[in-house]
Amino acid sequence: MVTGWNEVAATLPDRPTVLALDGPAALDWNAAAQGLAAALRAQGTEVAVLDVREHWSPAAVERLCTPRDGGDVFFLPLAEFDMADLFEGPLNVDRPASGVLLVFGPGSALCSPDLLWWADLPKRYAETAVASGTLPVGVNLGHPDTPGELRRLFYTDWPVADRHRDALAPTIDRWVDVQDPQAPASLDGEAFRATLTALAQQPVRTRPYFNSTAWGGKWAAEQLGFEPEGGNTALGYELIAPEAGVLVGQDAGAQVELPFQLLCVLHPERFLGADVHARYGTSFPIRFDYLDTVGGGNLSLHCHPQEQYMRENFGWSYTQHETYYVTASDPGSQVFLGLRQSTDVDILRKEVEASAAHGTPLHVEDHIQTFPADPGQLFMIPAGTPHASGAGNLVLEISATPYLYSLRFYDWLRRSDSGVPRPLSHAHAFANLDTERRGTEVVEDLVPQPRVLREGPGWREEIVGALPEMFYAVHRLVLEGTEPADDDTEGRFHILNVAAGDGVVVETADGRRHDLAFAETLTVPAAVGAYRLHPVGVRPVQVVKSLVKPS
């Protein structure tokens, strides 16, 4: 691993070279190119610079990167075009007679370079910058000089850039992490791929972070010591594959953050398992995140798209089934889930539309059932089910990975920072509302009681949630003594989260040991096989586990 542009520049060969510096749109490209060019010139190398964004086709950008007037103001279908489609034709460059031609910007790898470097900035930076309109990072693909919008970032920029990166991953000559634009840290291509190969065969923890929202609470700030920039710790991103990163390097020295998703791209069968790979390709299908409303407010009342609607309208091949696992709660807190037996959907629709139009309160409990948010209880939330976590909860959300499609009925009349009512996608919500499962069926199907699957000395494994229409299940390992619990991936990845107690040590069959503390999440790749969970401390430990069910 090397740090700083000078060290990076020193790795270039002493011969005429076309160097492509490729990467996502939301990055300070001019600063990166200037930093690298200055370092090359300082060591006596002749440098010419080409900004590939000047070669994008304005007509292609307008057609592919600009939503049509009258389109959906909430969501876009996932973009299906490739980075090459932004250019009028092949990206041809003249080979330098001496020195380096530095071709930089999204799509620069298409110039058939001698060397390909990928400059990366974790997605959380782009989301923050786009939301605040901060240039140059807060831009969208195709629009490098104007403030971006989140809708295009989520549904256009990220899918296109991710496909481009994934296709290049086997041939990248250097991975450059530009979180510190003045002193980037990087790995050469062989070390980059060797690191991912090693990670794909051992338990791995992704870098957690928290986002703030209007309803957010303060549990994580108070209990885990996070210092939120936005005032609360509403959304705890433990493992959301499209955005997650894995830190590699010494804690006290240089570190590089690698996209978690590349473990699935380069090693799908080792990491996901053969059956999961066959069903989901290189998409990591389960996510873990925290919803913190302790000291905050109710989440919006919403549902998620039915599977056919998701495919036809948004472009995902599978949909956003969810579960809520209550990790902590204040006395009297609750979860809103499912229709009442008496709910008249036409009346509900009229009241939702009136609320959206005139700001009248919706009496949610008249239509939606409520349940005590008891720690340890799991709530099943298949697509189309109306739901919300109430104020005073810390909920571990275990969900299918498609995570950008919350179809909102009602948001408690909250307003945005600009003072206008927060927008509601209630037309989408009613188009997907499951009107059949209601009343006692909600209680019987969606508020399950645990059943013991297997047990050993001082421990047991329970199934706490599974439904025929949901492709994954949620289990819980309860360790009440000092003996370890044995487990085995049996050819499919596991995700573990310590939901109660002090933690566990995860020990693999080859002797690797990984500490996992309360509220932390760990992915155990399919290739790990047998492993053990050793309890830490004297209190009973509960470990929530999720896995894809056998096909």
Side-chain angles (χ1 to χ4, degrees):
M1 188 180 298
V2 298
T3 58
W5 291 118
N6 290 334
E7 290 189 29
V8 172
T11 67
L12 282 172
D14 186 17
R15 62 175 184 270
T17 302
V18 175
L19 169 63
L21 186 66
D22 209 325
L27 189 152
D28 190 344
W29 279 108
N30 290 330
Q34 291 168 8
L36 178 53
L40 288 166
R41 294 187 181 112
Q43 67 183 23
T45 301
E46 180 182 348
V47 182
V49 177
L50 172 64
D51 185 345
V52 77
R53 297 172 295 180
E54 297 174 2
H55 291 258
W56 287 341
S57 162
V61 167
E62 175 65 22
R63 184 177 75 256
L64 299 172
C65 300
T66 305
R68 303 277 70 82
D69 290 340
D72 192 330
V73 300
F74 303 102
F75 311 104
L76 295 171
L78 293 180
E80 296 181 348
F81 69 88
D82 294 324
M83 195 71 74
D85 295 328
L86 292 179
F87 299 87
E88 293 179 348
L91 180 60
N92 298 315
V93 299
D94 296 327
R95 321 304 291 182
S98 60
V100 172
L101 171 60
L102 172 59
V103 185
F104 71 92
S108 59
L110 300 172
C111 73
S112 301
D114 301 307
L115 290 173
L116 167 59
W117 291 3
W118 183 270
D120 199 63
L121 191 64
K123 288 178 177 176
R124 59 185 177 275
Y125 289 89
E127 186 173 352
T128 298
V130 169
S132 62
T134 306
L135 300 179
V137 176
V139 302
N140 288 132
L141 184 66
H143 302 273
D145 301 316
T146 58
E149 69 162 9
L150 291 174
R151 188 177 51 150
R152 280 183 279 176
L153 178 72
F154 296 151
Y155 305 113
T156 300
D157 297 16
W158 286 355
V160 173
D162 286 358
R163 281 196 299 273
H164 184 58
R165 176 203 65 200
D166 295 352
L168 297 174
T171 59
I172 289 172
D173 295 296
R174 180 164 293 277
W175 183 275
V176 186
D177 183 328
V178 292
Q179 292 183 65
D180 183 346
Q182 305 305 316
S186 70
L187 291 170
D188 67 55
E190 290 187 5
F192 158 71
R193 281 178 287 277
T195 299
L196 291 169
T197 298
L199 289 172
Q201 302 174 86
Q202 61 181 287
V204 60
R205 173 157 169 74
T206 53
R207 183 193 185 279
Y209 69 99
F210 282 85
N211 272 350
S212 298
T213 72
W215 46 260
K218 302 179 182 300
W219 185 92
E222 295 171 354
Q223 300 297 322
L224 302 180
F226 284 93
E227 297 181 4
E229 295 181 3
N232 60 61
T233 47
L235 290 162
Y237 283 36
E238 280 290 303
L239 172 58
I240 300 182
E243 297 189 33
V246 181
L247 286 174
V248 299
Q250 298 298 319
D251 291 343
Q255 290 185 315
V256 167
E257 187 169 335
L258 301 178
F260 177 87
Q261 183 60 33
L262 287 179
L263 294 167
C264 306
V265 170
L266 294 177
H267 305 285
E269 292 200 358
R270 289 181 186 175
F271 198 69
L272 298 169
D275 178 57
V276 178
H277 173 44
R279 293 161 64 184
Y280 297 99
T282 57
S283 177
F284 191 86
I286 302 176
R287 65 181 171 93
F288 273 43
D289 61 273
Y290 280 111
L291 305 176
D292 178 2
T293 62
V294 177
N298 299 326
L299 267 68
S300 64
L301 179 67
H302 62 285
C303 69
H304 300 294
Q306 303 272 9
E307 191 157 306
Q308 182 177 349
Y309 196 95
M310 178 71 98
R311 286 196 304 268
E312 294 177 354
N313 290 273
F314 302 135
W316 275 86
S317 60
Y318 62 106
T319 197
Q320 191 173 345
H321 298 301
E322 287 189 346
T323 67
Y324 283 173
Y325 185 91
V326 181
T327 299
S329 60
D330 290 337
S333 60
Q334 58 189 3
V335 166
F336 301 86
L337 181 67
L339 297 176
R340 293 189 177 279
Q341 188 66 47
S342 59
T343 298
D344 185 317
V345 174
D346 290 334
I347 293 175
L348 174 60
R349 188 194 307 271
K350 290 177 182 177
E351 291 186 6
V352 165
E353 291 173 349
S355 177
H358 307 297
T360 55
L362 175 69
H363 298 289
V364 173
E365 293 90 340
D366 291 347
H367 309 283
I368 307 299
Q369 299 188 65
T370 60
F371 299 90
D374 297 326
Q377 178 63 56
L378 183 82
F379 297 92
M380 310 293 289
I381 313 170
T385 305
H387 64 283
S389 177
N393 295 329
L394 180 71
V395 165
L396 176 64
E397 187 175 49
I398 305 167
S399 170
T401 290
Y403 64 108
L404 296 171
Y405 305 94
S406 291
L407 314 178
R408 296 184 175 91
F409 299 95
Y410 181 63
D411 197 29
W412 311 96
L413 305 182
R414 279 189 284 253
R415 294 180 175 269
S416 67
D417 292 340
S418 62
V420 299
R422 298 180 80 202
L424 299 172
S425 47
H426 53 79
H428 281 302
F430 278 105
N432 286 275
L433 177 63
D434 180 358
T435 61
E436 298 299 318
R437 186 183 265 136
R438 55 173 67 215
T440 57
E441 287 186 30
V442 171
V443 180
E444 294 168 357
D445 295 349
L446 307 187
V447 192
Q449 298 305 305
R451 60 182 177 88
V452 175
L453 177 66
R454 61 191 184 94
E455 55 191 328
W459 64 270
R460 66 184 182 275
E461 180 173 356
E462 304 168 332
I463 298 177
V464 293
L467 279 176
E469 65 261 50
M470 295 175 66
F471 69 84
Y472 64 95
V474 181
H475 295 193
R476 180 170 60 203
L477 289 143
V478 181
L479 295 86
E480 297 177 319
T482 59
E483 293 296 313
D486 295 308
D487 211 337
D488 196 311
T489 63
E490 296 181 339
R492 64 192 60 245
F493 72 86
H494 292 175
I495 310 176
L496 309 177
N497 173 277
V498 179
D502 297 320
V504 293
V505 175
V506 180
E507 181 185 18
T508 60
D510 61 4
R512 297 177 186 269
R513 295 172 69 88
H514 301 262
D515 296 333
L516 191 64
F518 173 63
E520 292 184 345
T521 302
L522 191 73
T523 303
V524 183
V528 166
Y531 65 95
R532 285 184 162 185
L533 301 178
H534 297 267
V536 173
V538 298
R539 298 186 296 164
V541 178
Q542 296 182 8
V543 177
V544 170
K545 178 177 82 173
S546 188
L547 70 163
V548 175
K549 297 186 296 187
S551 57

